[in-house]
């Protein structure tokens, strides 16, 4: 392939598709390379689609995208071994068009997104592994080399959107090797149930859906969370914990998932279902402090490749699509003005990110990972004590409520002193400022 492109996009996940679509729609000559057998074959996610991020790229996406259910209810469960304390938010405002969030099945959605990329004019080639970046004598990236004979492909700029591993970026010296302390290992299963069963168990009708986020005992002392999402005729269930914790405890995500599925609160929701899909993947969890250099002479980095995940709010695909779009818009502006994609000019990409919710949210939660890693009582003691307190106070056994309150406070003081409790509250507050 001897022809030259305006931009090469490496990867066909949400960030790569967002970048390739935006570039091609603006009339640029775009090549998108995907190492998987088809777009989406290497992509794994819960999966929640955030409408705003995609709407800014494809305003009428709802007319043709393969969407499962629009989310009208969010549940948060803090669990111990046999119970949970939870909060629910359900709103009819979320049941009005245009809907805010959707559950999706990534294999179907990614194929649709890739079709839009190709209709916009980009050339998409799958089963093509990029093994190196091409540079000129000055060190500027001028293309990529792929695993094929005469595999050098040239472009004015390269966008790296090849996922959390991003071997191209690592081997090219654009970022360090991924650290176990900055990444989570997650597993997900698709459990199929009749549509009427899904709706009955989650109090749903029509296309409305529920998402449940889980924390506490299910992570078995490790920093991690679980989830359960409703599709039309299936449930997506999964759990992820920090890779460094899993290595230290010598456990596997599969074992964690099986134990989570057996929890008394989870088992009835998935009972009778048929597991047809299983997948595992890495999630960048380092946050703001772990972000690498995001641009340089002739290149930009987007999505999971750069670590754009908001672990606190479990948001990733919206950050991926937004960073892909902003990278594309940066290049479009440069090319339209006749400017070269030098590092100095591509600094506009970082400025756009800083002005967006992406960097503002990551900066807000920049200390949360360190706080949870060092203060494990938030993961173990407090979920257990919270459930113990609820059980004690709600058990009607002839004991007066004032005595129960004293019993609850004694249980907390047994684990943490008053100063410890106040210190923990302050640390958690500081971690989210």
């Amino acid at each position: 392939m001897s022809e030259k492109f305006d931009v090469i996009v490496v990867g066909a996940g949400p960030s790569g598709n967002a970048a390739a679509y935006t570039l091609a729609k603006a009339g640029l000559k775009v090549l998108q390379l995907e190492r998987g057998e088809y777009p989406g074959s290497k992509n794994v996610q819960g999966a929640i689609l955030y409408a705003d991020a995609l709407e800014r790229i494809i305003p009428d996406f709802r007319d043709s995208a393969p969407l499962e259910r629009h989310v009208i209810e969010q549940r948060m469960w803090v669990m111990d071994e046999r119970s949970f304390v939870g909060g629910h938010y359900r709103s009819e405002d979320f049941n009005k068009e245009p809907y805010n969030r959707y559950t999706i099945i990534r294999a179907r959605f990614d194929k649709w997104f890739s079709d839009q990329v190709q209709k916009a004019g980009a050339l998409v080639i799958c089963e093509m592994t990029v093994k190196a970046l091409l540079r000129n004598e000055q060190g500027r990236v001028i293309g990529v080399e792929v695993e094929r004979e005469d595999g050098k492909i040239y472009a004015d700029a390269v966008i790296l959107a090849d996922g959390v591993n991003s071997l191209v970026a690592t081997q090219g010296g654009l970022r360090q090797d991924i650290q176990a302390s900055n990444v989570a290992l997650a597993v997900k299963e698709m459990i199929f149930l009749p549509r009427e069963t899904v709706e009955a168990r989650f109090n749903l009708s029509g296309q409305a859906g529920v998402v449940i986020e889980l924390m506490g005992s299910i992570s078995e002392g490790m920093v991690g969370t679980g989830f359960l999402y409703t599709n039309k005729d299936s449930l997506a269930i999964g759990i992820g914990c920090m890779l460094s914790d899993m290595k230290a405890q010598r456990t596997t995500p599969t074992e964690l998932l099986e134990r989570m599925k057996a929890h008394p609160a989870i088992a009835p929701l998935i009972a009778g279902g048929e597991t047809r899909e299983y997948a595992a993947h890495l999630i960048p969890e380092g946050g703001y402090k772990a972000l690498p250099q995001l641009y340089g002479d002739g290149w930009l980095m987007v999505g999971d490749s750069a670590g754009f995940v908001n672990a606190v709010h479990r948001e990733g695909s919206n950050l991926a699509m937004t960073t892909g779009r902003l990278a594309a818009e940066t290049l479009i502006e440069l090319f339209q003005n006749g400017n070269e994609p030098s590092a100095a000019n591509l600094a506009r990409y970082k400025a756009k990110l800083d002005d967006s919710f992406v960097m503002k949210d990551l900066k807000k939660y920049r200390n949360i990972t360190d706080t949870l890693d060092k203060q494990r009582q938030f993961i173990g003691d407090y979920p257990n004590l919270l459930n113990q307190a609820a059980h004690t106070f709600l058990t009607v056994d002839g004991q007066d409520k004032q005595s129960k309150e004293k019993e609850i406070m004694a249980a907390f003081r047994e684990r943490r002193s008053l100063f410890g409790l106040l210190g923990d509250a302050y640390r958690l507050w500081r971690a989210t400022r």
Side-chain angles (χ1 to χ4, degrees):
M1 187 178 292
S2 59
E3 59 182 321
K4 181 182 177 183
F5 294 85
D6 294 318
V7 184
I8 295 174
V9 178
V10 182
S15 61
N17 284 335
Y21 179 89
T22 304
L23 291 163
K25 199 71 174 176
L28 296 181
K29 189 175 182 181
V30 180
L31 172 64
Q32 185 180 36
L33 301 174
E34 164 59 35
R35 67 187 177 92
E37 184 180 353
Y38 55 88
S41 62
K42 298 292 184 181
N43 301 331
V44 182
Q45 181 191 348
I48 298 294
L49 172 69
Y50 302 90
D52 176 77
L54 184 56
E55 196 169 30
R56 292 172 186 264
I57 300 165
I58 306 177
D60 60 350
F61 78 90
R62 294 178 179 87
D63 294 341
S64 59
L67 308 172
E68 289 292 303
R69 292 183 179 272
H70 61 272
V71 179
I72 66 166
E73 182 178 334
Q74 174 85 45
R75 303 179 188 176
M76 299 291 296
W77 290 0
V78 180
M79 313 177 80
D80 69 3
E81 293 296 334
R82 296 190 56 78
S83 60
F84 72 88
V85 175
H88 295 190
Y89 180 74
R90 182 169 181 144
S91 174
E92 277 304 301
D93 289 336
F94 283 149
N95 206 19
K96 298 176 182 177
E97 298 185 64
Y99 303 122
N100 180 258
R101 287 185 297 167
Y102 299 87
T103 57
I104 58 173
I105 296 176
R106 281 291 301 270
R108 300 172 188 171
F109 177 80
D110 286 4
K111 182 180 184 304
W112 170 86
F113 205 167
S114 183
D115 288 343
Q116 309 312 303
V117 171
Q118 295 173 66
K119 289 176 182 177
L123 175 61
V124 179
I125 301 179
C126 295
E127 297 185 278
M128 185 69 72
T129 300
V130 176
K131 64 180 184 179
L133 295 169
L134 298 178
R135 301 176 186 268
N136 63 14
E137 294 180 355
Q138 290 73 42
R140 175 176 295 179
V141 172
I142 56 172
V144 300
E145 184 176 3
V146 298
E147 290 186 343
R148 55 172 288 179
E149 187 177 351
D150 191 24
K152 295 182 178 180
I153 310 174
Y154 296 91
D156 291 321
V158 173
I159 294 178
L160 297 172
D162 51 334
V164 60
N165 288 319
S166 194
L167 297 178
V168 180
T170 303
Q171 293 170 356
L174 306 183
R175 70 168 206 185
Q176 296 180 341
D177 288 332
I178 191 168
Q179 301 296 310
S181 58
N182 287 331
V183 67
L185 178 58
V187 292
K188 182 188 80 168
E189 287 183 359
M190 293 291 291
I191 299 177
F192 283 76
L193 288 162
R195 179 170 181 155
E196 58 270 19
T197 302
V198 172
E199 294 177 354
R201 290 181 182 177
F202 292 88
N203 188 25
L204 298 172
S205 62
Q207 300 297 322
V210 169
V211 304
I212 307 176
E213 305 288 352
L214 314 164
M215 63 171 292
S217 64
I218 58 166
S219 66
E220 302 183 7
M222 298 180 285
V223 178
T225 58
F227 64 86
L228 180 62
Y229 302 154
T230 58
N231 298 315
K232 289 177 181 176
D233 56 1
S234 65
L235 302 175
I237 185 170
I239 186 170
C241 294
M242 298 304 293
L243 183 58
S244 54
D245 281 353
M246 287 193 179
K247 291 174 65 176
Q249 293 200 17
R250 296 184 179 181
T251 190
T252 68
T254 303
E255 294 170 340
L256 282 176
L257 181 58
E258 288 303 313
R259 289 193 284 269
M260 186 181 88
K261 288 163 58 179
H263 191 281
I266 301 294
L269 297 177
I270 63 176
E274 179 186 358
T275 300
R276 297 184 189 172
E277 296 179 25
Y278 174 91
H281 68 127
L282 297 174
I283 305 173
E285 299 274 358
Y288 184 81
K289 293 181 179 180
L291 293 177
Q293 177 68 24
L294 301 172
Y295 64 91
D297 275 336
W299 63 270
L300 306 99
M301 201 179 305
V302 299
D304 281 7
S305 301
F308 285 118
V309 169
N310 181 342
V312 175
H313 290 270
R314 313 311 305 155
E315 296 178 16
S317 63
N318 56 332
L319 279 70
M321 288 186 285
T322 300
T323 56
R325 172 176 61 83
L326 294 178
E329 290 176 353
T330 300
L331 289 173
I332 291 168
E333 292 169 6
L334 290 181
F335 293 151
Q336 287 178 343
N337 293 324
N339 296 323
E340 60 184 14
S342 63
N345 287 334
L346 290 177
R348 300 182 191 184
Y349 172 51
K350 178 62 164 50
K352 290 177 182 289
L353 287 171
D354 289 340
D355 194 44
S356 73
F357 79 92
V358 173
M359 212 61 102
K360 291 176 182 178
D361 284 353
L362 291 183
K363 191 171 184 179
K364 173 179 171 63
Y365 297 117
R366 63 189 179 277
N367 294 318
I368 196 70
T369 301
D370 291 341
T371 299
L372 293 179
D373 183 50
K374 296 174 182 176
Q375 308 292 330
R376 293 302 174 108
Q377 62 271 21
F378 290 118
I379 305 164
D381 284 351
Y382 287 154
N384 290 335
L385 287 169
L386 186 59
N387 279 274
Q388 180 183 337
H391 184 81
T392 298
F393 202 76
L394 295 174
T395 299
V396 178
D397 55 4
Q399 185 180 11
D400 65 277
K401 299 301 187 287
Q402 187 173 9
S403 296
K404 287 180 179 289
E405 290 173 2
K406 292 180 180 178
E407 182 180 334
I408 290 168
M409 291 308 300
F412 273 87
R413 286 195 298 271
E414 183 180 348
R415 300 288 185 91
R416 305 288 290 172
S417 68
L418 177 59
F419 289 111
L421 290 170
L422 292 174
D424 288 342
Y426 177 73
R427 276 187 285 271
L428 193 59
W429 178 81
R430 286 292 301 168
T432 56
R433 293 304 94 197

